[in-house]
PDB file of all heavy atoms in Angstrom:
ATOM      1  N   GLY Z  69    -166.142 181.141 136.421  1.00  0.00           N
ATOM      2  CA  GLY Z  69    -166.212 182.393 137.321  1.00  0.00           C
ATOM      3  C   GLY Z  69    -167.355 183.335 136.864  1.00  0.00           C
ATOM      4  O   GLY Z  69    -168.099 183.803 137.745  1.00  0.00           O
ATOM      5  N   GLN Z  70    -167.538 183.479 135.559  1.00  0.00           N
ATOM      6  CA  GLN Z  70    -168.573 184.374 135.099  1.00  0.00           C
ATOM      7  C   GLN Z  70    -170.007 183.804 135.495  1.00  0.00           C
ATOM      8  O   GLN Z  70    -170.812 184.557 135.885  1.00  0.00           O
ATOM      9  CB  GLN Z  70    -168.505 184.700 133.628  1.00  0.00           C
ATOM     10  CG  GLN Z  70    -167.483 185.716 133.176  1.00  0.00           C
ATOM     11  CD  GLN Z  70    -167.356 185.809 131.690  1.00  0.00           C
ATOM     12  OE1 GLN Z  70    -168.069 185.219 130.961  1.00  0.00           O
ATOM     13  NE2 GLN Z  70    -166.299 186.509 131.298  1.00  0.00           N
ATOM     14  N   MET Z  71    -170.127 182.464 135.248  1.00  0.00           N
ATOM     15  CA  MET Z  71    -171.360 181.898 135.519  1.00  0.00           C
ATOM     16  C   MET Z  71    -171.677 182.005 137.059  1.00  0.00           C
ATOM     17  O   MET Z  71    -172.764 182.218 137.477  1.00  0.00           O
ATOM     18  CB  MET Z  71    -171.330 180.518 135.133  1.00  0.00           C
ATOM     19  CG  MET Z  71    -171.309 180.240 133.555  1.00  0.00           C
ATOM     20  SD  MET Z  71    -171.055 178.492 133.240  1.00  0.00           S
ATOM     21  CE  MET Z  71    -172.703 177.721 133.934  1.00  0.00           C
ATOM     22  N   VAL Z  72    -170.717 181.853 137.870  1.00  0.00           N
ATOM     23  CA  VAL Z  72    -170.898 181.828 139.354  1.00  0.00           C
ATOM     24  C   VAL Z  72    -171.348 183.301 139.622  1.00  0.00           C
ATOM     25  O   VAL Z  72    -172.311 183.530 140.380  1.00  0.00           O
ATOM     26  CB  VAL Z  72    -169.671 181.596 140.101  1.00  0.00           C
ATOM     27  CG1 VAL Z  72    -169.754 181.960 141.598  1.00  0.00           C
ATOM     28  CG2 VAL Z  72    -169.311 180.041 139.886  1.00  0.00           C
ATOM     29  N   ALA Z  73    -170.752 184.354 139.168  1.00  0.00           N
ATOM     30  CA  ALA Z  73    -171.067 185.708 139.377  1.00  0.00           C
ATOM     31  C   ALA Z  73    -172.521 186.017 138.997  1.00  0.00           C
ATOM     32  O   ALA Z  73    -173.191 186.871 139.592  1.00  0.00           O
ATOM     33  CB  ALA Z  73    -170.122 186.592 138.709  1.00  0.00           C
ATOM     34  N   ALA Z  74    -172.950 185.330 137.912  1.00  0.00           N
ATOM     35  CA  ALA Z  74    -174.345 185.632 137.431  1.00  0.00           C
ATOM     36  C   ALA Z  74    -175.355 184.745 138.156  1.00  0.00           C
ATOM     37  O   ALA Z  74    -176.499 184.739 137.778  1.00  0.00           O
ATOM     38  CB  ALA Z  74    -174.260 185.385 135.965  1.00  0.00           C
ATOM     39  N   GLY Z  75    -174.848 184.014 139.094  1.00  0.00           N
ATOM     40  CA  GLY Z  75    -175.740 183.239 139.861  1.00  0.00           C
ATOM     41  C   GLY Z  75    -176.320 182.030 139.131  1.00  0.00           C
ATOM     42  O   GLY Z  75    -177.418 181.530 139.452  1.00  0.00           O
ATOM     43  N   GLU Z  91    -161.236 181.593 146.200  1.00  0.00           N
ATOM     44  CA  GLU Z  91    -161.512 182.700 145.165  1.00  0.00           C
ATOM     45  C   GLU Z  91    -162.914 182.397 144.554  1.00  0.00           C
ATOM     46  O   GLU Z  91    -163.585 183.356 144.408  1.00  0.00           O
ATOM     47  CB  GLU Z  91    -160.359 182.689 144.215  1.00  0.00           C
ATOM     48  CG  GLU Z  91    -160.551 183.683 143.077  1.00  0.00           C
ATOM     49  CD  GLU Z  91    -161.000 185.049 143.446  1.00  0.00           C
ATOM     50  OE1 GLU Z  91    -160.670 185.471 144.579  1.00  0.00           O
ATOM     51  OE2 GLU Z  91    -161.465 185.762 142.571  1.00  0.00           O
ATOM     52  N   LEU Z  92    -163.152 181.166 144.246  1.00  0.00           N
ATOM     53  CA  LEU Z  92    -164.403 180.996 143.590  1.00  0.00           C
ATOM     54  C   LEU Z  92    -165.611 181.154 144.499  1.00  0.00           C
ATOM     55  O   LEU Z  92    -166.635 181.659 144.130  1.00  0.00           O
ATOM     56  CB  LEU Z  92    -164.450 179.529 142.925  1.00  0.00           C
ATOM     57  CG  LEU Z  92    -165.437 179.359 141.617  1.00  0.00           C
ATOM     58  CD1 LEU Z  92    -165.188 180.420 140.681  1.00  0.00           C
ATOM     59  CD2 LEU Z  92    -165.226 177.982 141.128  1.00  0.00           C
ATOM     60  N   GLN Z  93    -165.366 180.851 145.714  1.00  0.00           N
ATOM     61  CA  GLN Z  93    -166.395 181.024 146.711  1.00  0.00           C
ATOM     62  C   GLN Z  93    -166.596 182.501 146.940  1.00  0.00           C
ATOM     63  O   GLN Z  93    -167.730 182.918 147.110  1.00  0.00           O
ATOM     64  CB  GLN Z  93    -166.024 180.325 148.038  1.00  0.00           C
ATOM     65  CG  GLN Z  93    -167.095 180.211 149.122  1.00  0.00           C
ATOM     66  CD  GLN Z  93    -168.296 179.407 148.654  1.00  0.00           C
ATOM     67  OE1 GLN Z  93    -168.969 179.550 147.642  1.00  0.00           O
ATOM     68  NE2 GLN Z  93    -168.563 178.404 149.502  1.00  0.00           N
ATOM     69  N   ARG Z  94    -165.524 183.263 146.914  1.00  0.00           N
ATOM     70  CA  ARG Z  94    -165.607 184.675 147.047  1.00  0.00           C
ATOM     71  C   ARG Z  94    -166.470 185.315 145.966  1.00  0.00           C
ATOM     72  O   ARG Z  94    -167.316 186.115 146.271  1.00  0.00           O
ATOM     73  CB  ARG Z  94    -164.238 185.285 147.104  1.00  0.00           C
ATOM     74  CG  ARG Z  94    -164.157 186.806 147.436  1.00  0.00           C
ATOM     75  CD  ARG Z  94    -162.954 187.521 146.867  1.00  0.00           C
ATOM     76  NE  ARG Z  94    -162.779 187.451 145.497  1.00  0.00           N
ATOM     77  CZ  ARG Z  94    -163.504 188.180 144.653  1.00  0.00           C
ATOM     78  NH1 ARG Z  94    -164.367 189.072 145.047  1.00  0.00           N
ATOM     79  NH2 ARG Z  94    -163.267 188.144 143.315  1.00  0.00           N
ATOM     80  N   VAL Z  95    -166.305 184.838 144.706  1.00  0.00           N
ATOM     81  CA  VAL Z  95    -167.054 185.335 143.590  1.00  0.00           C
ATOM     82  C   VAL Z  95    -168.523 185.106 144.005  1.00  0.00           C
ATOM     83  O   VAL Z  95    -169.446 185.923 143.805  1.00  0.00           O
ATOM     84  CB  VAL Z  95    -166.540 184.759 142.310  1.00  0.00           C
ATOM     85  CG1 VAL Z  95    -167.475 185.109 141.176  1.00  0.00           C
ATOM     86  CG2 VAL Z  95    -165.181 184.998 141.965  1.00  0.00           C
ATOM     87  N   ALA Z  96    -168.788 183.730 144.397  1.00  0.00           N
ATOM     88  CA  ALA Z  96    -170.165 183.418 144.645  1.00  0.00           C
ATOM     89  C   ALA Z  96    -170.830 184.341 145.684  1.00  0.00           C
ATOM     90  O   ALA Z  96    -171.954 184.844 145.569  1.00  0.00           O
ATOM     91  CB  ALA Z  96    -170.321 182.024 145.116  1.00  0.00           C
ATOM     92  N   VAL Z  97    -170.166 184.496 146.776  1.00  0.00           N
ATOM     93  CA  VAL Z  97    -170.628 185.254 147.952  1.00  0.00           C
ATOM     94  C   VAL Z  97    -170.643 186.762 147.680  1.00  0.00           C
ATOM     95  O   VAL Z  97    -171.572 187.388 148.183  1.00  0.00           O
ATOM     96  CB  VAL Z  97    -169.803 184.836 149.201  1.00  0.00           C
ATOM     97  CG1 VAL Z  97    -170.277 185.745 150.295  1.00  0.00           C
ATOM     98  CG2 VAL Z  97    -169.931 183.330 149.463  1.00  0.00           C
ATOM     99  N   GLU Z  98    -169.604 187.296 146.971  1.00  0.00           N
ATOM    100  CA  GLU Z  98    -169.607 188.678 146.868  1.00  0.00           C
ATOM    101  C   GLU Z  98    -170.013 189.229 145.560  1.00  0.00           C
ATOM    102  O   GLU Z  98    -170.464 190.468 145.601  1.00  0.00           O
ATOM    103  CB  GLU Z  98    -168.057 189.167 147.076  1.00  0.00           C
ATOM    104  CG  GLU Z  98    -167.595 188.985 148.526  1.00  0.00           C
ATOM    105  CD  GLU Z  98    -166.092 189.375 148.719  1.00  0.00           C
ATOM    106  OE1 GLU Z  98    -165.648 190.075 147.880  1.00  0.00           O
ATOM    107  OE2 GLU Z  98    -165.521 188.982 149.698  1.00  0.00           O
ATOM    108  N   GLU Z  99    -169.982 188.476 144.606  1.00  0.00           N
ATOM    109  CA  GLU Z  99    -170.309 189.093 143.225  1.00  0.00           C
ATOM    110  C   GLU Z  99    -171.680 188.617 142.769  1.00  0.00           C
ATOM    111  O   GLU Z  99    -172.284 189.274 141.866  1.00  0.00           O
ATOM    112  CB  GLU Z  99    -169.285 188.723 142.187  1.00  0.00           C
ATOM    113  CG  GLU Z  99    -167.934 189.426 142.550  1.00  0.00           C
ATOM    114  CD  GLU Z  99    -166.938 189.183 141.504  1.00  0.00           C
ATOM    115  OE1 GLU Z  99    -167.219 188.730 140.390  1.00  0.00           O
ATOM    116  OE2 GLU Z  99    -165.642 189.240 141.904  1.00  0.00           O
ATOM    117  N   SER Z 100    -172.225 187.531 143.180  1.00  0.00           N
ATOM    118  CA  SER Z 100    -173.669 187.141 142.708  1.00  0.00           C
ATOM    119  C   SER Z 100    -174.649 187.871 143.443  1.00  0.00           C
ATOM    120  O   SER Z 100    -174.364 188.343 144.628  1.00  0.00           O
ATOM    121  CB  SER Z 100    -173.781 185.624 142.831  1.00  0.00           C
ATOM    122  OG  SER Z 100    -174.102 185.262 144.136  1.00  0.00           O
ATOM    123  N   ARG Z 101    -175.800 188.131 142.949  1.00  0.00           N
ATOM    124  CA  ARG Z 101    -176.843 189.071 143.523  1.00  0.00           C
ATOM    125  C   ARG Z 101    -177.166 188.678 144.855  1.00  0.00           C
ATOM    126  O   ARG Z 101    -177.237 189.422 145.811  1.00  0.00           O
ATOM    127  CB  ARG Z 101    -178.043 189.062 142.661  1.00  0.00           C
ATOM    128  CG  ARG Z 101    -179.034 190.093 143.020  1.00  0.00           C
ATOM    129  CD  ARG Z 101    -180.226 190.098 142.082  1.00  0.00           C
ATOM    130  NE  ARG Z 101    -181.100 189.028 142.341  1.00  0.00           N
ATOM    131  CZ  ARG Z 101    -182.199 189.089 143.163  1.00  0.00           C
ATOM    132  NH1 ARG Z 101    -182.509 190.169 143.763  1.00  0.00           N
ATOM    133  NH2 ARG Z 101    -182.973 187.984 143.186  1.00  0.00           N
ATOM    134  N   LEU Z 102    -177.450 187.267 145.179  1.00  0.00           N
ATOM    135  CA  LEU Z 102    -177.922 186.830 146.451  1.00  0.00           C
ATOM    136  C   LEU Z 102    -176.797 186.292 147.330  1.00  0.00           C
ATOM    137  O   LEU Z 102    -176.964 185.928 148.499  1.00  0.00           O
ATOM    138  CB  LEU Z 102    -179.024 185.742 146.282  1.00  0.00           C
ATOM    139  CG  LEU Z 102    -180.379 186.391 145.708  1.00  0.00           C
ATOM    140  CD1 LEU Z 102    -181.251 185.176 145.516  1.00  0.00           C
ATOM    141  CD2 LEU Z 102    -180.972 187.432 146.689  1.00  0.00           C
ATOM    142  N   GLY Z 103    -175.515 186.148 146.747  1.00  0.00           N
ATOM    143  CA  GLY Z 103    -174.501 185.614 147.585  1.00  0.00           C
ATOM    144  C   GLY Z 103    -174.606 184.306 148.139  1.00  0.00           C
ATOM    145  O   GLY Z 103    -174.096 183.862 149.190  1.00  0.00           O
ATOM    146  N   ILE Z 104    -175.295 183.423 147.317  1.00  0.00           N
ATOM    147  CA  ILE Z 104    -175.371 182.015 147.801  1.00  0.00           C
ATOM    148  C   ILE Z 104    -174.107 181.240 147.667  1.00  0.00           C
ATOM    149  O   ILE Z 104    -173.600 181.256 146.489  1.00  0.00           O
ATOM    150  CB  ILE Z 104    -176.697 181.309 147.046  1.00  0.00           C
ATOM    151  CG1 ILE Z 104    -177.992 182.127 147.250  1.00  0.00           C
ATOM    152  CG2 ILE Z 104    -176.757 179.801 147.546  1.00  0.00           C
ATOM    153  CD1 ILE Z 104    -179.199 181.676 146.506  1.00  0.00           C
ATOM    154  N   TYR Z 361    -166.893 179.955 153.945  1.00  0.00           N
ATOM    155  CA  TYR Z 361    -165.393 179.493 153.862  1.00  0.00           C
ATOM    156  C   TYR Z 361    -165.126 178.450 154.886  1.00  0.00           C
ATOM    157  O   TYR Z 361    -163.927 178.223 155.172  1.00  0.00           O
ATOM    158  CB  TYR Z 361    -164.537 180.848 154.113  1.00  0.00           C
ATOM    159  CG  TYR Z 361    -164.803 181.895 153.134  1.00  0.00           C
ATOM    160  CD1 TYR Z 361    -165.621 182.936 153.465  1.00  0.00           C
ATOM    161  CD2 TYR Z 361    -164.402 181.832 151.737  1.00  0.00           C
ATOM    162  CE1 TYR Z 361    -165.924 184.009 152.573  1.00  0.00           C
ATOM    163  CE2 TYR Z 361    -164.712 182.823 150.822  1.00  0.00           C
ATOM    164  CZ  TYR Z 361    -165.465 183.842 151.214  1.00  0.00           C
ATOM    165  OH  TYR Z 361    -165.781 184.866 150.339  1.00  0.00           O
TER     166      TYR Z 361
END
Side-chain angles (χ1 to χ4, degrees):
Q70 276 174 12
M71 288 172 67
V72 170
E91 172 52 19
L92 207 50
Q93 190 69 304
R94 189 200 61 73
V95 174
V97 173
E98 292 179 14
E99 295 183 20
S100 75
R101 191 180 73 93
L102 291 173
I104 301 175
Y361 303 100

